[in-house]
Amino acid sequence: MSSIAILQQYSSSLNYSLQMLFWDADKVSKCVTDIKILYETANIKNKVTDGDVVYPRPSADTSESKGMEIDNVSFAYPGEKSKESALRDVSFQVPAGALAVIVGANGSGKSTIIKLLTRMYDADSGTVRVDELPIADYRLADLRQTQATLTQDHELYPLTLGENIGLGYSEHVDDEAMIMQAARDGGAATLLDKFTDGAKTNLKPVLTAYGYHLDDEKHKTLKTVLGKLENPTGVSGGEKQRLVAARTFMRFRTGKIKLLSVDEPSSALDPTGEFELFERLRQTGEGKTMIFVTHRFGHLTKHADIIICMKEGKVAESGTHKELMALDGEYASLYNVQALAFKESEVRLAVRTFFARN
């Protein structure tokens, strides 16, 4: 019996040792694979090829800038399984310094246009032109320096709130006065004020204090102390969008921005916050070419120099608000749906007010 017990004990120990050996071997194999992938990324060729023309062109007369043009452009996302392309034979022009608003239902190609104008992708056919030259002719680094984008896809980094804003103008990432002005423009000043450390508040601090195998009851006090040492700061969706907007206003201060692209950046903002953000963007971006993509466009289209109404990957209509309302087509239908909601709320408010007074 003693021999059997000893044998069982050693067999269990051997089994555990073998399991750990295979587990460690699997971890080593995964690490080797990760290192291999890391080195292979250096050999990946960018499908968006670089141009050789300086932008803006030194010889070009800025007063005669021709703006942006999309000419018979079609585009499908790589690997997309849809039968229809995201864009099909799309053509329109946005004059330099103009405010353009792109509207349409979900999936109509609005965001795709922004990605082509900022050269995140190249068109499958047709041409995107900037100041009469194909956009692919320009140096990518030059184009990036003259662009500011504001979308839902921007991220916050594990830095301070102020640094997250200051990254819009990296040379002045520590300029507190400039950062606070950008925060006020982006509607994030109130957010900074609510934290004890203000702009120096860390979103996700690097952990330097650890606790292992702590019992919820026996080590309750110690766990509380550890939690207070480095407690991550969280922000809501709307607060995140305000911080990202502030970063965009910080980017304006580089003095190099010629194109502002805004793609549904205010989905988590309340109507008042969205209106104020768009008004500040419109006023601060005066003189720049501005392209807005948004579902709630009523307060923008009255200022727009051109409205492009998309439907199923094509331009259904284009023109000013007055021209498109006169057509009584796709744009008028979208606009009236939004206006109806406001009219109904006004009627309900009037009814409630009437009964309250009587």
Side-chain angles (χ1 to χ4, degrees):
M1 292 296 292
S2 299
S3 299
I4 293 174
I6 293 171
L7 180 62
Q8 183 180 16
Q9 182 178 357
Y10 277 102
S11 63
S12 299
S13 178
L14 177 62
N15 180 48
Y16 176 76
S17 298
L18 289 174
Q19 286 181 359
M20 293 302 297
L21 179 63
F22 283 114
W23 187 76
D24 288 338
D26 182 65
K27 283 189 66 178
V28 171
S29 175
K30 186 178 184 306
C31 289
V32 171
T33 301
D34 290 342
I35 293 171
K36 181 182 177 183
I37 292 173
L38 178 64
Y39 278 95
E40 286 176 348
T41 56
N43 300 320
I44 296 176
K45 293 184 178 179
N46 193 345
K47 292 184 179 181
V48 179
T49 57
D50 205 354
D52 54 14
V53 177
V54 176
Y55 183 81
R57 285 177 285 165
S59 59
D61 184 351
T62 54
S63 65
E64 297 180 2
S65 179
K66 302 299 181 182
M68 311 187 79
E69 177 186 3
I70 284 187
D71 184 15
N72 293 320
V73 163
S74 294
F75 174 77
Y77 287 100
E80 182 63 50
K81 296 182 179 180
S82 174
K83 294 181 180 179
E84 300 289 349
S85 298
L87 296 177
R88 301 192 298 281
D89 299 321
V90 172
S91 297
F92 63 84
Q93 289 184 331
V94 179
L99 168 60
V101 180
I102 305 177
V103 302
N106 287 335
S108 59
K110 305 186 300 297
S111 297
T112 303
I113 290 175
I114 294 290
K115 291 173 182 176
L116 295 183
L117 290 176
T118 54
R119 215 178 167 216
M120 296 292 105
Y121 293 92
D122 280 333
D124 296 333
S125 62
T127 307
V128 178
R129 295 187 181 89
V130 176
D131 293 343
E132 298 186 320
L133 278 185
I135 194 172
D137 290 354
Y138 293 108
R139 297 196 312 197
L140 278 170
D142 291 349
L143 286 174
R144 297 286 184 264
Q145 287 183 348
T146 62
Q147 297 171 351
T149 59
L150 183 54
T151 73
Q152 297 183 58
D153 299 328
H154 288 295
E155 293 294 334
L156 296 180
Y157 302 100
L159 304 169
T160 66
L161 296 176
E163 287 169 338
N164 267 282
I165 295 172
L167 285 175
Y169 192 176
S170 56
E171 292 86 345
H172 291 269
V173 71
D174 296 322
D175 190 323
E176 294 184 10
M178 193 177 289
I179 287 172
M180 286 308 301
Q181 183 57 53
R184 285 190 287 271
D185 291 338
T190 305
L191 169 63
L192 301 187
D193 289 340
K194 85 174 189 178
F195 292 110
T196 305
D197 295 330
K200 295 182 179 180
T201 302
N202 278 302
L203 278 178
K204 297 177 182 177
V206 177
L207 294 178
T208 58
Y210 299 90
Y212 298 100
H213 306 297
L214 298 179
D215 186 271
D216 288 342
E217 292 299 326
K218 293 180 180 179
H219 308 109
K220 187 175 182 180
T221 303
L222 179 57
K223 290 186 71 175
T224 302
V225 172
L226 285 172
K228 290 181 178 180
L229 284 175
E230 291 162 326
N231 189 25
T233 299
V235 295
S236 67
E239 290 171 337
K240 174 186 173 182
Q241 290 183 342
R242 290 177 187 274
L243 287 168
V244 171
R247 185 190 299 164
T248 301
F249 282 103
M250 187 75 179
R251 187 157 176 74
F252 283 169
R253 285 162 174 76
T254 64
K256 300 178 181 179
I257 304 303
K258 293 184 174 295
L259 172 66
L260 169 64
S261 303
V262 183
D263 185 7
E264 294 287 1
S266 54
S267 57
L269 293 179
D270 57 77
T272 301
E274 180 186 55
F275 173 77
E276 292 175 350
L277 172 61
F278 284 172
E279 280 295 296
R280 285 192 295 269
L281 284 171
R282 190 176 60 81
Q283 293 166 6
T284 309
E286 190 173 355
K288 303 174 180 66
T289 302
M290 295 182 287
I291 302 176
F292 283 77
V293 170
T294 177
H295 284 100
R296 297 179 290 196
F297 50 79
H299 49 278
L300 273 175
T301 50
K302 63 182 180 180
H303 301 290
D305 298 296
I306 181 172
I307 302 167
I308 298 106
C309 183
M310 299 293 297
K311 185 176 182 180
E312 297 177 355
K314 296 182 177 181
V315 176
E317 303 162 342
S318 64
T320 64
H321 172 74
K322 185 176 181 180
E323 292 169 345
L324 296 183
M325 290 301 290
L327 288 176
D328 197 24
E330 182 71 12
Y331 172 79
S333 176
L334 292 171
Y335 185 86
N336 288 330
V337 166
Q338 293 193 28
L340 181 62
F342 287 104
K343 290 177 181 178
E344 288 180 347
S345 63
E346 289 172 1
V347 169
R348 287 195 295 269
L349 178 60
V351 171
R352 286 198 299 269
T353 303
F354 172 79
F355 282 108
R357 291 176 176 175
N358 296 275

